[in-house]
Amino acid sequence: YLADNGWDKFFTWYDYMSWYPLGRPVGSTIYPGMQVTAVYLWKALNHFGIDISLNDVCVFIPAWFGPIASVFLGLLTTETTGNANAGAIATLIMAIIPAHLMRSVGGGYD
């Protein structure tokens, strides 16, 4: 909806088919971070000549952001402890934690 109708209509979107019979003011009852990230990432990729559909971006976002989160945790740990081994261990733990794995597989877009 955001990609087709824009920012203003997205936040004033009222869906009469959900939460029937009352309907739902979608723009004020969701966390828009994932939708906004997906649309702007999709637009950026298409701008740079990478022809990918919005659906594919939504499928790949968890798989792209999962390793990035693991690496940044390792860098943060290294910075705070001053120990590269601690950073490597933190990265490894983040990469294999079941809660992180479940949320960083391809197609796990919420």
Side-chain angles (χ1 to χ4, degrees):
Y1 192 88
L2 176 61
D4 291 335
N5 298 300
W7 185 264
D8 292 330
K9 286 190 178 180
F10 178 72
F11 282 105
T12 58
W13 174 25
Y14 196 86
D15 185 5
Y16 294 97
M17 298 303 291
S18 61
W19 294 358
Y20 185 80
L22 299 174
R24 175 182 176 207
V26 179
S28 62
T29 59
I30 63 165
Y31 298 111
M34 290 295 287
Q35 292 88 348
V36 171
T37 302
V39 168
Y40 285 108
L41 187 58
W42 170 66
K43 287 182 178 184
L45 290 170
N46 284 324
H47 176 75
F48 290 113
I50 300 172
D51 188 30
I52 188 168
S53 71
L54 182 57
N55 184 53
D56 288 344
V57 170
C58 292
V59 167
F60 289 126
I61 276 182
W64 291 335
F65 285 13
I68 292 170
S70 297
V71 168
F72 277 120
L73 176 70
L75 292 172
L76 179 65
T77 304
T78 301
E79 180 72 23
T80 56
T81 63
N83 187 345
N85 289 333
I89 291 169
T91 302
L92 177 67
I93 290 172
M94 180 72 162
I96 63 171
I97 278 182
H100 186 251
L101 284 174
M102 290 185 321
R103 291 168 178 85
S104 61
V105 295
Y109 188 82
D110 188 10

